[in-house]
Amino acid sequence: METVTITMKNAPALYLEADTISPDAFAGKSAAQIAELPVFEGNVPSTLGKYFAISGNAGATAEDTKIVVKGDVKRVKYLGFKMTAGELVIEGSTDQYVGAWMKGGKLLAKGDVAAFAATAMKGGELTIEGNAGNYLGAAYRGDWRGMSGGKILVKGNAGSDIGMYMLGGEIVVGGNVDVHAMTHAEGGKLVVKGNAKSKLGGQMVEGTIFVFGTIEVMMPGFKPDGEVELEVEGRKATFAHFIGDLGERHKKKKGVVVYGNLYKKL
């Protein structure tokens, strides 16, 4: 695997839309060619080399390419946009749409990420060592197709509306989550190792939520369904089981009604 290191040298005055910072866009290119890839500062077109010093040549394919992003990229959006393979390491915090529409590969953010990370994610692995903003793994605004595959690991806290319209895949949050987690979900799995606020699983049709901490306000559409001992993320525990959201329409599989499942550690 070949490594390309890009280091911020001229921070943008406005926000930089850099959806070309991905193994797919870099693949097969030299450092000089990568420097010519298009970006936008606001609505003004520019090139990647205006803002970043670039060293190293990419591999022949995305799978053979690793990108390391250094410097202050808090004003840079779309890192890892639609990546299908390879690796991307962001050494600090960054702005919106990290790993949006991601299909494969590994993306590591060592700081915080802003809203809309992993929008409509279909595959791959996204690890966030800091905190994640709102709408993590959610649908794009106006769409009903949220995250459908892959795995997201957040070591810190996550904001509101994470997993909105989630269809599949897995989100694991090491800390706390804000309101409206897995709203409208029709599949997928969310593990919250800390606490969850209100409206957890609202209008949920299918999918699974595990909460190891507290739930500030339980949705009235979830019905208690006994207790169960499970192993989740390597931890064995006894959970109170709830099914819901009973206010929503639910399909049948082999004649049995399918509900969303919420497990709260006792």
Side-chain angles (χ1 to χ4, degrees), residues 152-217:
I152 301 170
L153 171 62
V154 181
K155 294 187 178 180
N157 302 318
S160 69
D161 298 278
I162 71 170
M164 184 182 69
Y165 286 107
M166 194 172 179
L167 302 172
E170 182 178 0
I171 301 174
V172 179
V173 180
N176 305 323
V177 300
D178 209 331
V179 298
H180 291 291
M182 282 191 82
T183 302
H184 303 293
E186 296 197 21
K189 175 182 174 182
L190 169 64
V191 179
V192 180
K193 294 184 178 180
N195 304 322
K197 288 195 175 180
S198 62
K199 303 177 180 65
L200 180 67
Q203 297 184 303
M204 184 178 182
V205 175
E206 195 173 348
T208 305
I209 301 173
F210 295 93
V211 179
F212 281 85
T214 61
I215 299 174
E216 188 175 283
V217 179

Coordinates of all heavy atoms in Angstrom, one line a residue, residues 152-217:
I152 N -19.6 2.0 12.4 CA -19.2 3.3 12.9 C -18.8 3.1 14.4 O -19.7 2.6 15.1 CB -20.2 4.4 12.8 CG1 -20.6 4.6 11.3 CG2 -19.6 5.7 13.4 CD1 -21.7 5.5 11.1
L153 N -17.6 3.4 14.8 CA -17.3 3.4 16.2 C -16.9 4.8 16.6 O -16.0 5.4 16.1 CB -16.1 2.5 16.4 CG -15.4 2.5 17.8 CD1 -16.4 2.1 18.9 CD2 -14.2 1.6 17.9
V154 N -17.6 5.3 17.6 CA -17.3 6.6 18.2 C -16.8 6.4 19.6 O -17.6 5.9 20.5 CB -18.6 7.5 18.2 CG1 -18.3 8.9 18.8 CG2 -19.2 7.7 16.9
K155 N -15.6 6.9 19.9 CA -15.1 6.6 21.3 C -15.6 7.7 22.3 O -15.6 7.4 23.5 CB -13.6 6.6 21.2 CG -13.0 5.4 20.4 CD -11.5 5.3 20.5 CE -11.1 4.0 19.7 NZ -9.6 3.9 19.7
G156 N -16.0 8.8 21.8 CA -16.6 9.9 22.7 C -18.1 9.9 22.6 O -18.7 8.8 22.6
N157 N -18.7 11.1 22.6 CA -20.1 11.2 22.6 C -20.6 11.5 21.2 O -19.8 11.8 20.3 CB -20.6 12.4 23.5 CG -20.1 12.2 24.9 OD1 -20.2 11.1 25.5 ND2 -19.6 13.3 25.5
A158 N -21.9 11.3 21.0 CA -22.5 11.6 19.7 C -23.7 12.5 19.9 O -24.4 12.5 20.9 CB -23.0 10.3 19.0
G159 N -24.0 13.3 18.8 CA -25.1 14.3 18.9 C -26.5 13.8 18.7 O -26.8 12.6 19.0
S160 N -27.4 14.6 18.2 CA -28.8 14.2 18.0 C -29.0 13.6 16.7 O -28.2 13.7 15.8 CB -29.7 15.4 18.2 OG -29.5 16.3 17.1
D161 N -30.1 12.9 16.5 CA -30.6 12.3 15.2 C -29.6 11.3 14.6 O -29.6 11.2 13.4 CB -30.9 13.5 14.3 CG -32.0 14.4 14.8 OD1 -33.2 14.0 14.6 OD2 -31.7 15.4 15.3
I162 N -28.8 10.7 15.4 CA -27.9 9.7 14.8 C -28.7 8.4 14.4 O -29.7 8.1 15.0 CB -26.7 9.3 15.7 CG1 -27.2 8.4 16.9 CG2 -26.0 10.5 16.3 CD1 -26.1 7.8 17.7
G163 N -28.3 7.8 13.3 CA -29.0 6.6 12.8 C -30.4 6.9 12.3 O -31.3 6.0 12.2
M164 N -30.8 8.2 12.0 CA -32.1 8.5 11.5 C -32.3 7.8 10.1 O -31.5 7.8 9.2 CB -32.2 10.0 11.3 CG -33.6 10.5 10.8 SD -33.7 12.3 10.6 CE -32.7 12.4 9.1
Y165 N -33.5 7.1 10.0 CA -33.8 6.3 8.9 C -32.8 5.2 8.6 O -32.6 4.8 7.5 CB -34.0 7.2 7.6 CG -35.2 8.0 7.6 CD1 -35.2 9.4 7.8 CD2 -36.5 7.4 7.3 CE1 -36.3 10.2 7.8 CE2 -37.6 8.2 7.3 CZ -37.6 9.5 7.5 OH -38.7 10.3 7.5
M166 N -32.2 4.7 9.6 CA -31.2 3.7 9.5 C -31.8 2.4 8.9 O -32.9 2.0 9.4 CB -30.5 3.4 10.9 CG -29.3 2.6 10.8 SD -28.5 2.5 12.5 CE -27.1 1.5 12.2
L167 N -31.1 1.7 8.0 CA -31.6 0.5 7.4 C -30.8 -0.7 7.7 O -31.3 -1.8 7.6 CB -31.6 0.7 5.8 CG -32.5 1.9 5.3 CD1 -32.2 2.0 3.8 CD2 -33.9 1.6 5.6
G168 N -29.5 -0.5 8.0 CA -28.6 -1.6 8.4 C -27.3 -1.1 8.9 O -27.1 0.1 9.0
G169 N -26.4 -2.0 9.1 CA -25.1 -1.6 9.6 C -25.1 -1.4 11.1 O -26.1 -1.8 11.8
E170 N -24.0 -0.9 11.7 CA -23.9 -0.8 13.2 C -23.2 0.5 13.6 O -22.2 0.9 13.0 CB -23.0 -2.0 13.6 CG -22.8 -2.1 15.1 CD -22.1 -3.4 15.5 OE1 -21.7 -4.1 14.6 OE2 -21.8 -3.5 16.7
I171 N -23.7 1.1 14.6 CA -23.1 2.3 15.2 C -22.9 1.9 16.7 O -23.8 1.5 17.4 CB -24.0 3.5 15.2 CG1 -24.3 3.8 13.7 CG2 -23.3 4.7 15.8 CD1 -25.4 5.0 13.6
V172 N -21.6 2.1 17.2 CA -21.3 1.9 18.6 C -20.7 3.2 19.1 O -19.8 3.8 18.6 CB -20.2 0.8 18.7 CG1 -19.8 0.7 20.2 CG2 -20.7 -0.5 18.1
V173 N -21.3 3.7 20.2 CA -21.0 5.0 20.8 C -20.4 4.7 22.2 O -21.2 4.2 23.0 CB -22.1 6.0 20.8 CG1 -21.7 7.3 21.5 CG2 -22.7 6.3 19.4
G174 N -19.2 5.1 22.4 CA -18.6 4.8 23.7 C -19.1 5.7 24.9 O -19.1 5.3 26.0
G175 N -19.6 6.9 24.5 CA -20.1 7.8 25.5 C -21.6 7.9 25.4 O -22.3 6.9 25.3
N176 N -22.1 9.2 25.4 CA -23.6 9.4 25.5 C -24.1 9.8 24.1 O -23.3 10.3 23.2 CB -23.8 10.6 26.5 CG -23.3 10.3 27.9 OD1 -23.3 9.2 28.3 ND2 -22.8 11.4 28.5
V177 N -25.4 9.7 23.9 CA -26.0 10.2 22.7 C -27.1 11.2 23.1 O -27.8 11.1 24.1 CB -26.6 9.0 21.8 CG1 -25.5 8.1 21.4 CG2 -27.7 8.3 22.6
D178 N -27.4 12.1 22.1 CA -28.4 13.1 22.4 C -29.8 12.6 21.9 O -29.9 11.4 21.6 CB -28.0 14.4 21.6 CG -28.6 15.7 22.3 OD1 -29.6 15.6 22.9 OD2 -27.9 16.7 22.2
V179 N -30.7 13.5 21.7 CA -32.1 13.1 21.4 C -32.3 12.5 20.0 O -31.4 12.7 19.1 CB -33.1 14.3 21.5 CG1 -33.1 14.8 23.0 CG2 -32.7 15.4 20.6
H180 N -33.4 11.8 19.8 CA -33.8 11.2 18.5 C -32.9 10.2 17.9 O -32.8 10.1 16.6 CB -34.0 12.4 17.5 CG -35.1 13.3 17.8 ND1 -36.5 12.9 17.7 CD2 -35.2 14.6 18.3 CE1 -37.3 13.9 18.1 NE2 -36.5 14.9 18.4
A181 N -32.2 9.4 18.6 CA -31.4 8.4 18.1 C -32.2 7.3 17.4 O -33.2 6.9 18.0 CB -30.5 7.7 19.1
M182 N -31.9 6.9 16.2 CA -32.6 5.9 15.4 C -34.0 6.2 15.2 O -34.9 5.3 15.1 CB -32.4 4.5 16.0 CG -31.0 3.9 15.7 SD -30.8 2.1 16.1 CE -31.6 1.3 14.7
T183 N -34.4 7.4 15.0 CA -35.7 7.8 14.6 C -36.0 7.2 13.2 O -35.2 7.3 12.3 CB -35.9 9.3 14.5 OG1 -35.5 9.9 15.8 CG2 -37.3 9.7 14.1
H184 N -37.2 6.7 13.0 CA -37.6 6.1 11.7 C -36.8 4.9 11.3 O -36.9 4.5 10.1 CB -37.6 7.1 10.6 CG -38.4 8.4 10.8 ND1 -39.8 8.4 10.9 CD2 -38.0 9.6 11.0 CE1 -40.2 9.6 11.1 NE2 -39.2 10.4 11.2
A185 N -36.0 4.3 12.2 CA -35.2 3.2 11.7 C -36.0 2.0 11.2 O -37.1 1.6 11.8 CB -34.3 2.7 12.9
E186 N -35.5 1.3 10.2 CA -36.0 0.1 9.7 C -35.0 -1.0 9.6 O -35.1 -1.9 8.8 CB -36.6 0.4 8.3 CG -37.8 1.4 8.3 CD -38.6 1.3 7.0 OE1 -38.6 0.3 6.3 OE2 -39.3 2.3 6.8
G187 N -34.0 -0.9 10.5 CA -33.0 -1.9 10.5 C -31.7 -1.3 11.2 O -31.7 -0.2 11.6
G188 N -30.7 -2.2 11.3 CA -29.5 -1.7 11.9 C -29.4 -1.9 13.4 O -30.3 -2.4 14.0
K189 N -28.2 -1.6 13.9 CA -27.9 -1.8 15.3 C -27.2 -0.6 15.9 O -26.3 -0.1 15.3 CB -27.1 -3.0 15.5 CG -26.6 -3.4 16.9 CD -25.7 -4.6 16.8 CE -25.0 -4.9 18.1 NZ -24.2 -6.1 18.0
L190 N -27.7 -0.1 17.1 CA -27.0 1.0 17.8 C -26.7 0.5 19.2 O -27.5 0.0 19.9 CB -27.9 2.2 17.9 CG -27.5 3.3 18.8 CD1 -26.2 4.0 18.3 CD2 -28.6 4.4 18.9
V191 N -25.4 0.7 19.6 CA -25.0 0.4 20.9 C -24.5 1.7 21.6 O -23.6 2.3 21.1 CB -23.8 -0.7 20.9 CG1 -23.4 -0.9 22.4 CG2 -24.2 -1.9 20.2
V192 N -25.1 2.0 22.7 CA -24.8 3.2 23.5 C -24.2 2.7 24.8 O -24.9 2.2 25.7 CB -26.0 4.1 23.7 CG1 -25.6 5.4 24.5 CG2 -26.6 4.5 22.4
K193 N -22.9 3.0 25.0 CA -22.3 2.5 26.2 C -22.5 3.5 27.4 O -22.3 3.1 28.5 CB -20.8 2.2 26.0 CG -20.5 1.1 25.0 CD -19.1 0.8 24.9 CE -18.9 -0.4 23.9 NZ -17.4 -0.7 23.8
G194 N -22.9 4.7 27.1 CA -23.2 5.7 28.1 C -24.7 5.9 28.2 O -25.4 4.9 28.2
N195 N -25.1 7.1 28.3 CA -26.5 7.5 28.5 C -27.2 8.0 27.2 O -26.5 8.5 26.3 CB -26.6 8.5 29.6 CG -26.0 8.1 30.9 OD1 -26.0 7.0 31.3 ND2 -25.3 9.1 31.6
A196 N -28.5 7.8 27.2 CA -29.3 8.3 26.1 C -30.3 9.3 26.6 O -30.9 9.1 27.6 CB -30.0 7.1 25.3
K197 N -30.6 10.3 25.8 CA -31.6 11.2 26.2 C -33.0 10.8 25.7 O -33.2 9.6 25.4 CB -31.3 12.6 25.6 CG -30.1 13.3 26.4 CD -30.0 14.8 26.1 CE -28.9 15.4 26.9 NZ -28.8 16.8 26.7
S198 N -33.9 11.6 25.5 CA -35.3 11.3 25.2 C -35.5 11.0 23.7 O -34.6 11.2 22.9 CB -36.3 12.4 25.6 OG -36.0 13.6 24.9
K199 N -36.7 10.4 23.4 CA -37.1 10.1 22.0 C -36.2 9.1 21.3 O -36.0 9.1 20.1 CB -37.2 11.4 21.2 CG -38.2 12.4 21.8 CD -38.2 13.7 21.0 CE -39.2 14.7 21.6 NZ -38.7 15.2 22.9
L200 N -35.7 8.2 22.1 CA -34.9 7.1 21.6 C -35.7 6.1 20.8 O -36.7 5.6 21.4 CB -34.2 6.4 22.8 CG -33.2 5.3 22.5 CD1 -32.0 5.7 21.7 CD2 -32.8 4.6 23.8
G201 N -35.4 5.9 19.6 CA -36.2 4.9 18.8 C -37.6 5.4 18.4 O -38.4 4.6 18.0
G202 N -37.8 6.7 18.4 CA -39.1 7.2 18.0 C -39.5 6.8 16.5 O -38.7 6.9 15.6
Q203 N -40.7 6.3 16.4 CA -41.2 5.8 15.0 C -40.3 4.7 14.4 O -40.3 4.6 13.2 CB -41.4 7.0 14.1 CG -42.4 8.0 14.6 CD -42.6 9.2 13.6 OE1 -41.7 9.9 13.3 NE2 -43.9 9.4 13.3
M204 N -39.7 4.0 15.3 CA -38.8 2.9 14.8 C -39.7 1.7 14.4 O -40.7 1.3 15.1 CB -37.9 2.5 16.0 CG -36.9 1.4 15.7 SD -35.9 1.1 17.3 CE -34.8 -0.1 16.7
V205 N -39.4 1.1 13.2 CA -40.1 0.0 12.7 C -39.4 -1.3 12.9 O -40.0 -2.3 13.2 CB -40.4 0.2 11.2 CG1 -41.0 -1.0 10.6 CG2 -41.2 1.5 11.0
E206 N -38.1 -1.3 12.8 CA -37.2 -2.5 12.9 C -35.8 -2.0 13.3 O -35.5 -0.9 13.1 CB -37.2 -3.3 11.6 CG -36.7 -4.7 11.8 CD -36.9 -5.5 10.5 OE1 -37.6 -5.1 9.6 OE2 -36.3 -6.6 10.5
G207 N -35.0 -3.0 13.8 CA -33.7 -2.6 14.2 C -33.5 -2.9 15.7 O -34.4 -3.3 16.4
T208 N -32.3 -2.6 16.2 CA -32.0 -3.0 17.6 C -31.1 -1.9 18.3 O -30.2 -1.4 17.7 CB -31.1 -4.3 17.7 OG1 -31.9 -5.3 17.0 CG2 -30.9 -4.7 19.1
I209 N -31.5 -1.5 19.5 CA -30.8 -0.6 20.3 C -30.4 -1.2 21.6 O -31.2 -1.8 22.3 CB -31.6 0.7 20.6 CG1 -32.1 1.4 19.2 CG2 -30.9 1.7 21.4 CD1 -33.1 2.5 19.5
F210 N -29.1 -1.0 22.0 CA -28.6 -1.4 23.3 C -28.2 -0.2 24.1 O -27.4 0.6 23.5 CB -27.5 -2.4 23.2 CG -27.8 -3.7 22.6 CD1 -27.7 -3.9 21.3 CD2 -28.3 -4.7 23.4 CE1 -28.0 -5.1 20.7 CE2 -28.6 -6.0 22.8 CZ -28.4 -6.2 21.5
V211 N -28.6 0.0 25.3 CA -28.1 1.1 26.1 C -27.6 0.6 27.4 O -28.3 -0.1 28.2 CB -29.3 2.1 26.4 CG1 -28.8 3.3 27.3 CG2 -29.9 2.7 25.1
F212 N -26.3 0.9 27.7 CA -25.7 0.4 29.0 C -25.9 1.4 30.1 O -25.9 1.0 31.3 CB -24.2 0.2 28.8 CG -23.9 -1.1 28.1 CD1 -23.9 -1.1 26.7 CD2 -23.6 -2.2 28.8 CE1 -23.6 -2.3 26.0 CE2 -23.3 -3.4 28.1 CZ -23.3 -3.5 26.8
G213 N -26.2 2.7 29.8 CA -26.4 3.7 30.9 C -27.9 3.9 31.1 O -28.7 3.0 31.0
T214 N -28.2 5.2 31.3 CA -29.6 5.6 31.6 C -30.3 6.0 30.3 O -29.7 6.4 29.3 CB -29.7 6.7 32.6 OG1 -29.0 7.9 32.1 CG2 -29.0 6.3 33.9
I215 N -31.6 6.0 30.3 CA -32.5 6.6 29.3 C -33.3 7.7 29.9 O -34.1 7.4 30.8 CB -33.4 5.5 28.6 CG1 -32.6 4.4 27.9 CG2 -34.3 6.2 27.6 CD1 -33.4 3.3 27.4
E216 N -33.1 8.9 29.5 CA -33.7 10.0 30.2 C -35.2 9.9 30.2 O -35.9 10.1 31.3 CB -33.2 11.3 29.6 CG -33.7 12.6 30.3 CD -33.1 13.8 29.7 OE1 -31.9 14.1 29.9 OE2 -33.8 14.5 29.0
V217 N -35.8 9.7 29.1 CA -37.3 9.5 29.0 C -37.5 8.4 28.0 O -37.1 8.5 26.8 CB -38.0 10.8 28.5 CG1 -39.5 10.6 28.3 CG2 -37.7 12.0 29.4

